[in-house]
Structures are given as C-alpha cells and as structure tokens.
Amino acid sequence: ISQAIMDTLMCLIAFDLARSVFDRRVGLVAALVLALDTRFITQTGAINTETLFIFLLVSGVWAFVVARSATRWQVIGYAAAAILLLLAAFTRAVALPLIALFALLPLLPRPTRPQLIGAGLIVGVGLLMVGAWVVRNYQATGQVVIISDGFGSNFWMGSRLDGQWHGIIEFDKERADLQSRYGGRDAYVEDALRTIAADPAAYVRLLASKVTQAYLQPYGTVVFGGESLKELAAQVLRGERSLAELVNGEAFWPKLIVYIFHYTGLIGGLIGLWLARRDWLKVLPLVLPIVYFTAAYTLLTIIPRYIFPTMPFYMILAAFAGVTMFSKVAAERNNRQTVNVK
C-alpha cells in the first residue's frame, strides 16, 4: 500500500513538475501516461528500491524547479530539493554526484544573490548530511565510506567481459582470482584501469553495447511469464513461427503494452528534447538526471532496471512533444478552414 501511495504521489508531483517547466496541458498528459504505464503499476508490487527512489528523485527535481522560479521562500525550496535528492542518494548511492550537478544549475546563466545562496545551501546541506553518514559509517566499521563502497567493484565489473553482474557465486570466483593477482587486495579500480588501457577501443565498444542493450530492452517484461518477446519476434522473422503464434504467445499483449510505453517515452522524449532545445535552461532539470544516470551506469554496470528511474523525465518530455505537435496540427487545420471560408 505504501508503494502504491508513493507512486500515486509521484504522478501528481510529475504533473506539477511538467506544468512548472512547460504548461498545464503537458502536466496532465504526463501524469495520465505515468498513471497508466504498466511498468510503474507492476513495480509497486515488487519489494525493490525503485518506487521509493523514483518518488524521491522526481520530488527533488520538482522542489528544485519550484524553488528556482519562486519569488519567495527560495531558500526553503532549495533546502527541500537538497534533502530529497540526498534521501534519493541514500537509497541509491550513485545519485550522490547528481546533487553537486544540481547545485551548479542556479549559477546559470548569470547567478543572482538568491541563486548563489541556493547553490551554497544545496552544497551545505549535502555536506552536512553526507558528513554525518560518513562519521556514522566510520564509527560502525572503522572505514571511511561515503554512503556506499560499491563503486569500485561495479566499475571493475563494468570494464571486463560483457560488463554485467552475473550473480554472487560468479562474482566471488572472479574476486578470488583478482585477489590472487594483487596480493589479496580488492584492487578493483587498478585492475579495471589496466583492462581499459590494454584495449581502449574494445572498452568503448563495450560501453556502447551495454548502454544500447539496456535501452532497447524495456524494464518490467520479466514480471510476465512466457518467452522473451524479442526472441519470439526474431523467430517470426526467421520463419520459425507464424504471426498467429507470436500474437497467441503467453503474456504477449501485456509485454507489448510495456514495449509501447517504453518506446513512446524514449522516442517522444528525444523529440520533446529537440523541440525544447532553445529553452535549454528551462528543461535542463529534466535532462540532467537522464544524462547523468545513463553515463554513470554505462561506466559501471547498466541494466534496464537501473535506467528505469529516468522514465518519468522522458515521459514529461514526450508529453511536451505530443502536445506541441497536436497544437501545430490543430492550428494548421484551423488556418485551412479559415482560408476555405474566405
């Protein structure tokens, strides 16, 4: 129930975020699509961090956008944005550098005094909360750990073989081999850098392959049973199955709906980003999480689940694209009708 409530609140917050960046129509379309998106519906029933993380992330970006455009209480808004984004980082440590990036946004294009205060406040609140957590970790473990110590191992896994996680058993085997080569040390970063330096071109190809596979495969299809929709479609193209067998396959329609939402968000989001390119400063808070998480997870280990939290921002941009194109078509039709009447 708590996750369903958070997901509902996320849709409402996404509405106001889209309304604040664009207008009310975009907000309504974005909220409606997010509310109907089966990926978010099924996710609320899973015991994962996605629902909480997405709620905190979208709320943090919304608080930032509201604070940036406010004439009063900007300090409170920036403080709320910092706290919400930090809570998101405590849910997923990879989000921590994103807070520093958001601290730079108030400085663009020409910072005013309230904006300078806002940037300083985001940094100050972040340092205070992270510092307290580092002290807590040191007292508990005797080690200096900034939220999480998983960066090195994920960077190492993401630099070798297929760049993915293959379970704890396989990881323990590979880790034992690593330790045997480095005198018992977990030399994750050192070994990763050596691998990259040995063949930089292969590493670039690996990064391109990882991010492409993660984006081509929608998150949420594994909730439904049956064979992979991609594999079934490939079999149809090879003539191994008929189209009727594809359509009648187990959970074909629920999976197809997931694909439709996924690619509508991605393609529509990219179109919306292009249409809004002249107002880059306005849409930057929406684009920054997309670019950051894509880049960060590409360097670490990336799967569809990891980039799923960026989908609300893609959907808002896609909603803007849809509203803009519909408005242009309606305006052209009205112009033609006016000309015909004359």
Side-chain angles (χ1 to χ4, degrees), residues 156-317:
W156 175 64
M157 287 187 292
S159 68
R160 55 199 304 277
L161 302 177
D162 64 350
Q164 301 294 354
W165 164 265
H166 293 287
I168 188 62
I169 296 176
E170 186 65 26
F171 175 77
D172 285 342
K173 291 179 181 178
E174 295 178 356
R175 182 186 179 192
D177 175 69
L178 175 71
Q179 291 174 336
S180 68
R181 291 185 286 113
Y182 286 91
R185 294 187 298 116
D186 287 327
Y188 296 123
V189 176
E190 182 180 348
D191 191 64
L193 292 177
R194 286 187 177 184
T195 301
I196 296 168
D199 195 344
Y203 179 64
V204 172
R205 290 194 297 270
L206 175 61
L207 295 181
S209 174
K210 289 196 301 179
V211 69
T212 301
Q213 291 179 44
Y215 267 107
L216 288 179
Q217 173 60 51
Y219 173 72
T221 56
V222 295
V223 175
F224 308 100
E227 297 180 65
S228 165
L229 200 61
K230 288 192 301 183
E231 180 58 31
L232 288 174
Q235 290 175 5
V236 171
L237 293 176
R238 292 194 299 264
E240 299 173 2
R241 293 199 183 206
S242 67
L243 185 60
E245 289 178 310
L246 170 65
V247 174
N248 293 323
E250 185 178 356
F252 169 79
W253 293 108
K255 289 181 180 180
L256 180 63
I257 292 172
V258 170
Y259 270 84
I260 291 172
F261 275 112
H262 177 73
Y263 281 102
T264 298
L266 285 184
I267 298 172
L270 293 175
I271 294 173
L273 179 59
W274 173 256
L275 294 174
R277 67 191 184 280
R278 297 186 186 279
D279 292 324
W280 63 271
L281 187 60
K282 181 175 69 173
V283 300
L284 198 53
L286 302 177
V287 177
L288 196 56
I290 294 174
V291 174
Y292 170 74
F293 284 117
T294 300
Y297 279 123
T298 300
L299 293 174
L300 301 175
T301 53
I302 183 170
I303 57 177
R305 175 189 169 190
Y306 293 166
I307 57 175
F308 179 58
T310 65
M311 291 303 136
F313 305 108
Y314 274 110
M315 283 300 185
I316 290 174
L317 290 167

